[in-house]
Amino acid sequence: CGAAMAQSSVAVYGRVDLSLGHLKEQGKASQSRMFDGNLTSTRLGFRGTEDLGGGLKASFKMEHRFDADTGASEDPMWKGESTLSLSGGFGELKLGRSSTIYDEVRGLSASSSVFDSAFTPSSNGVFGSGGDYSNRFNNKITYVLPSMGNLYGGVEYALDEDPDAKADMIGAKLGYKSGPLNLAMGLQQEKGKENDYLMVAAAYDFGVASVSGGYNVRNGNAASGDDNEFTVGVNVPLGALQLSAGFASGKTEKAGATSSKASGFGLGATYTLSKRTKLYGGVRSHQVKDGSGTKTADARLFAVGVRHDF
Amino acid sequence: CGAAMAQSSVAVYGRVDLSLGHLKEQGKASQSRMFDGNLTSTRLGFRGTEDLGGGLKASFKMEHRFDADTGASEDPMWKGESTLSLSGGFGELKLGRSSTIYDEVRGLSASSSVFDSAFTPSSNGVFGSGGDYSNRFNNKITYVLPSMGNLYGGVEYALDEDPDAKADMIGAKLGYKSGPLNLAMGLQQEKGKENDYLMVAAAYDFGVASVSGGYNVRNGNAASGDDNEFTVGVNVPLGALQLSAGFASGKTEKAGATSSKASGFGLGATYTLSKRTKLYGGVRSHQVKDGSGTKTADARLFAVGVRHDF
Amino acid sequence: CGAAMAQSSVAVYGRVDLSLGHLKEQGKASQSRMFDGNLTSTRLGFRGTEDLGGGLKASFKMEHRFDADTGASEDPMWKGESTLSLSGGFGELKLGRSSTIYDEVRGLSASSSVFDSAFTPSSNGVFGSGGDYSNRFNNKITYVLPSMGNLYGGVEYALDEDPDAKADMIGAKLGYKSGPLNLAMGLQQEKGKENDYLMVAAAYDFGVASVSGGYNVRNGNAASGDDNEFTVGVNVPLGALQLSAGFASGKTEKAGATSSKASGFGLGATYTLSKRTKLYGGVRSHQVKDGSGTKTADARLFAVGVRHDF
């Protein structure tokens, strides 16, 4: 580790997020733990962009995910993303493994719901109680539309590469962003699981507070039924401090009858120590009941921690 | 990811190569796929050199290989290379896991045969139908000769570290390079598989086109027999475009009789978008027949893609 | 790999250590091998520090360990360390996976005993014959005391995260450093193995030579018994050359009777080629006997190699 690396083609970046807290799940003993990634997942990445001239660019991104509390790699090695893309006036064409564009609409719906973190109820136990979506796909071709005034969007397709399985995925997103308002709709059709997801999400920044929310529908098959889910959240900035609360609820119906109901809430705060470092704390609680009202799952999480970007 | 890293001792480098295409293999359904590494394998590497004074240098290289279509690491983690070497007037002494020097002669024979890629017939199904070589070894000691006019070469030895197995490897290479001509001979003796490989390869750059070719012999045991194989190829540069074609053929003989015959061809084109980014497309087709002329394997590959270096 | 990366927030560092030699263990055939890490373990790391103002700093460190002779990752991926820490006038608070502070006292006791390497007898077969300690823990909270004149120290706690297992770890260290003298005491209580370790170590640098030594006690349960162990070593600098020798001895007692005795020695030399590169060679020999004096294990290691830092 010496002097002046001559290199513009690759940037090394990452984030480490560790916290201490408590998790209590139904049927398990209460547990004090060190957690990785309660605000956002720990990662190490490599990325770069080359200007090809004529407004065309080539970019790559490889993002490793791991658990800083144990030093263990998540699976696969480049779980976060491994993509190559060409972009220009036509928009962006991206190949490889990455998050789905429907997942971005899920993110928008929770953007002010306890920082879209492990304290956010919608993405931790409430949504998906009837069959959860895959937030990333391998072998994916994503086309992102070019800038079109206030509109944005994209379409994507993931090859399943198993001639017998028919587990392709089709996704689409359309959004409208104007000043403080961000509205988007996303769909994801997972043929392997016979699940179609459709979400409408919105976020609005009032200045003294920002709010976000969304409504999500899953259409499954006879065995998995259908889900109807919604979430709302609010973030309140107070200087270096930010307070947030979120609520989410959902139910699954099979053959016209409710087979499960889930709901939960989260509360959290972040404190900005510097541009790259935040302290945080939060709680989350959710429960799932079956059609007869019997509780089938619950969890309560409490943690305080620190997140550092590099 | 902020400002001015003071570091000369390590360079981060890599390559991402993704393509879309079609693979049809005998006995399997035709398959549309996203492919990793059809032009050259995707990688992330770390390397550096230290000047020790007196003409002596120490160098290291660690090269991770992974599949950008799925984000999965290949095995082992540093599959491409993990070496430490000392070099100077005496030549270079390299320790660790790396490609064999015989593999470099294989590379020379295919250097103008569809860019030594997944479209090159010799290295994809045609050569090695009677028993393929290992292109890398662990625990390898490689000695590369110093510059000696037009001659170059080296010897190497890989320890097998299993007293019972006797799976050592011995390799040697001798080459002659003068202007447009490059001639080399390489041998690799794999004691574990009881296979000896010997190859003669040549490449010549005529300016309007470059050609390459080689003849390879494997001497195995009674069970695996012997192979005789050859390949030829041509690359034609046309400005940013480069066209290439290759052909390869081989047969295996056991107890004096032909037990299998293999042949194939490849065609491809690359288009240079920039110093670091290429578009490419190619086809490859090969088939293997047994001694009675019955087809035992075939494959047809077609793909178009993009490769980006960093 | 191009020009001028603007990045101060992460440094890439590492070390490659490869050697050739011979290992003979009791009951096994003698073996010529390429070794990884006989002087110190091969690694690749990422680290950085952010100044948070007011004397406060945030730091991260991720250290991958791998075997350069085979290219294989050790397990877990970030075996060496994965931590996030906050430091300031109050000292340092570090979260994540890392070496224990008791392990640092073990290191001090062997610092002049053949370079605390694979040639050091205490850490390779002699100490721990009755039950060895874990040198790293997951889910660890370490508090390092701030600078207090000649005193230094810390305490730590590792959560076991299994409510049934009670495998927490508690550690503490207290040291005194003044000029050439460094004295420290460390303890580590591993509840999962029912082992308590306590070590006193010292090192003194006379200029013409440095010496180190230590006395270690393990208090186990009825099945594992108790250990009493000591080690001494000396390093002699002779310009670019450094010579070293070490000796270690230990015994395990169960129910008042000696159940095993172990002893061993090591000899080694390093030659500094440059700031970042060293040649080295060494031998180590140790043996373990049971209560009746019958030899139950022995090993002889000889190797010469090179270590390169970056």
Side-chain angles (χ1 to χ4, degrees), chain A:
Chain A
C1 188
M5 175 193 282
Q7 193 162 351
S8 71
S9 55
V10 55
V12 182
Y13 70 94
R15 169 173 287 175
V16 184
D17 180 331
L18 284 167
S19 56
L20 292 166
H22 209 77
L23 179 66
K24 173 74 184 82
E25 292 177 297
Q26 191 179 19
K28 294 186 186 174
S30 174
Q31 193 179 25
S32 292
R33 282 189 53 188
M34 185 175 291
F35 296 92
D36 178 86
N38 268 340
L39 192 54
T40 40
S41 303
T42 291
R43 66 200 63 184
L44 172 69
F46 300 84
R47 65 185 169 208
T49 295
E50 184 192 18
D51 190 337
L52 302 174
L56 203 63
K57 282 189 224 176
S59 305
F60 71 94
K61 184 173 179 182
M62 294 150 42
E63 194 171 290
H64 168 60
R65 295 289 177 96
F66 68 101
D67 300 327
D69 51 345
T70 63
S73 175
E74 295 188 13
D75 185 50
M77 177 74 190
W78 304 99
K79 183 186 182 181
E81 182 164 334
S82 67
T83 58
L84 184 54
S85 69
L86 293 174
S87 56
F90 67 90
E92 181 181 12
L93 186 66
K94 181 153 65 170
L95 302 180
R97 173 187 175 82
S98 64
S99 301
T100 66
I101 52 180
Y102 166 79
D103 181 67
E104 294 167 16
V105 180
R106 296 275 286 232
L108 177 64
S109 77
S111 55
S112 292
S113 177
V114 207
F115 324 117
D116 195 9
S117 70
F119 307 112
T120 301
S122 60
S123 47
N124 293 281
V126 176
F127 278 27
S129 63
D132 212 0
Y133 78 117
S134 297
N135 62 346
R136 290 188 188 85
F137 273 81
N138 293 341
N139 309 304
K140 190 155 65 77
I141 308 163
T142 304
Y143 170 63
V144 181
L145 290 171
S147 186
M148 299 177 304
N150 296 319
L151 288 179
Y152 63 90
V155 289
E156 66 187 3
Y157 176 68
L159 290 82
D160 96 280
E161 301 199 346
D162 180 350
D164 303 322
K166 294 283 179 209
D168 297 9
M169 186 279 294
I170 294 173
K173 184 181 73 166
L174 189 63
Y176 174 88
K177 194 174 186 330
S178 174
L181 175 68
N182 195 346
L183 251 173
M185 189 176 80
L187 65 87
Q188 180 163 316
Q189 188 176 35
E190 298 187 22
K191 294 184 186 170
K193 297 181 190 163
E194 296 186 53
N195 276 332
D196 292 358
Y197 301 88
L198 177 68
M199 182 158 213
V200 181
Y204 197 94
D205 188 351
F206 292 97
V208 295
S210 63
V211 294
S212 70
Y215 181 72
N216 187 55
V217 174
R218 178 184 63 85
N219 289 309
N221 57 21
S224 70
D226 302 323
D227 288 347
N228 282 274
E229 302 159 332
F230 77 92
T231 186
V232 291
V234 57
N235 280 9
V236 181
L238 299 163
L241 189 69
Q242 193 164 352
L243 303 177
S244 186
F247 175 76
S249 178
K251 66 176 175 182
T252 303
E253 291 189 324
K254 292 182 188 171
T258 298
S259 63
S260 85
K261 280 184 158 188
S263 65
F265 71 91
L267 296 169
T270 63
Y271 184 82
T272 300
L273 282 179
S274 73
K275 200 184 160 197
R276 289 166 41 206
T277 307
K278 273 190 165 76
L279 302 177
Y280 66 86
V283 295
R284 194 195 76 221
S285 177
H286 79 266
Q287 55 178 21
V288 184
K289 290 179 178 171
D290 66 15
S292 68
T294 306
K295 198 164 63 174
T296 56
D298 73 2
R300 287 193 306 277
L301 168 70
F302 164 76
V304 293
V306 57
R307 185 184 88 179
H308 178 71
D309 293 338
F310 58 92

Side-chain angles (χ1 to χ4, degrees), chain C residues 97-201:
Chain C
R97 172 188 175 82
S98 63
S99 301
T100 66
I101 53 180
Y102 165 80
D103 181 67
E104 293 166 17
V105 180
R106 295 276 285 233
L108 176 65
S109 77
S111 55
S112 291
S113 176
V114 207
F115 324 116
D116 194 8
S117 70
F119 307 113
T120 301
S122 60
S123 48
N124 293 282
V126 176
F127 278 28
S129 64
D132 212 0
Y133 77 119
S134 296
N135 62 347
R136 289 188 189 85
F137 273 81
N138 294 341
N139 309 305
K140 190 156 65 76
I141 307 163
T142 304
Y143 170 63
V144 182
L145 291 170
S147 187
M148 301 176 304
N150 296 319
L151 288 178
Y152 62 91
V155 290
E156 65 187 4
Y157 175 67
L159 290 82
D160 94 280
E161 302 200 344
D162 180 351
D164 304 322
K166 293 283 178 209
D168 297 8
M169 185 277 297
I170 294 172
K173 184 180 72 165
L174 189 64
Y176 175 88
K177 195 173 186 330
S178 174
L181 174 68
N182 195 345
L183 251 173
M185 188 177 78
L187 65 87
Q188 181 163 317
Q189 187 175 37
E190 298 188 21
K191 295 184 185 169
K193 298 181 191 164
E194 295 185 51
N195 276 330
D196 292 357
Y197 301 88
L198 177 68
M199 182 157 212
V200 181

Side-chain angles (χ1 to χ4, degrees), chain B residues 67-138:
Chain B
D67 300 327
D69 51 345
T70 64
S73 175
E74 295 188 11
D75 184 50
M77 177 73 190
W78 304 100
K79 183 185 182 182
E81 183 164 333
S82 67
T83 57
L84 183 55
S85 68
L86 294 173
S87 56
F90 66 91
E92 180 182 11
L93 186 67
K94 181 152 66 171
L95 302 180
R97 172 187 175 82
S98 63
S99 301
T100 67
I101 53 180
Y102 166 80
D103 181 67
E104 294 167 15
V105 180
R106 295 276 285 233
L108 177 65
S109 77
S111 55
S112 292
S113 177
V114 206
F115 324 117
D116 194 8
S117 70
F119 307 113
T120 301
S122 59
S123 47
N124 293 282
V126 175
F127 277 28
S129 63
D132 212 0
Y133 77 119
S134 296
N135 62 347
R136 289 187 188 87
F137 273 81
N138 294 341

Side-chain angles (χ1 to χ4, degrees), chain B residues 1-14 46-52 56 58-60 62 76-79 82-84 86 94-97 137-141 159 161-164 276 309-310, chain C residues 1-2 5-13 15-21 29-35 42-44 46 64 66-73 77 273-277 279 305-310:
Chain B
C1 188
M5 175 193 284
Q7 193 161 355
S8 71
S9 55
V10 55
V12 182
Y13 70 94
F46 300 84
R47 66 184 169 208
T49 295
E50 185 193 16
D51 190 338
L52 303 174
L56 203 63
S59 305
F60 72 94
M62 296 151 41
M77 177 73 190
W78 304 100
K79 183 185 182 182
S82 67
T83 57
L84 183 55
L86 294 173
K94 181 152 66 171
L95 302 180
R97 172 187 175 82
F137 273 81
N138 294 341
N139 309 304
K140 190 156 65 77
I141 308 162
L159 289 82
E161 302 199 345
D162 180 350
D164 304 322
R276 289 166 41 207
D309 292 340
F310 58 92
Chain C
C1 191
M5 176 193 282
Q7 194 163 351
S8 70
S9 55
V10 55
V12 183
Y13 71 95
R15 169 173 288 175
V16 184
D17 180 331
L18 284 167
S19 57
L20 292 166
S30 174
Q31 193 180 27
S32 293
R33 281 189 54 187
M34 184 175 292
F35 296 92
T42 292
R43 66 199 64 183
L44 172 69
F46 301 84
H64 167 60
F66 68 100
D67 301 326
D69 51 345
T70 64
S73 175
M77 177 74 191
L273 283 179
S274 73
K275 200 183 161 198
R276 289 166 39 207
T277 308
L279 301 177
V306 56
R307 186 184 88 178
H308 177 72
D309 292 340
F310 58 90

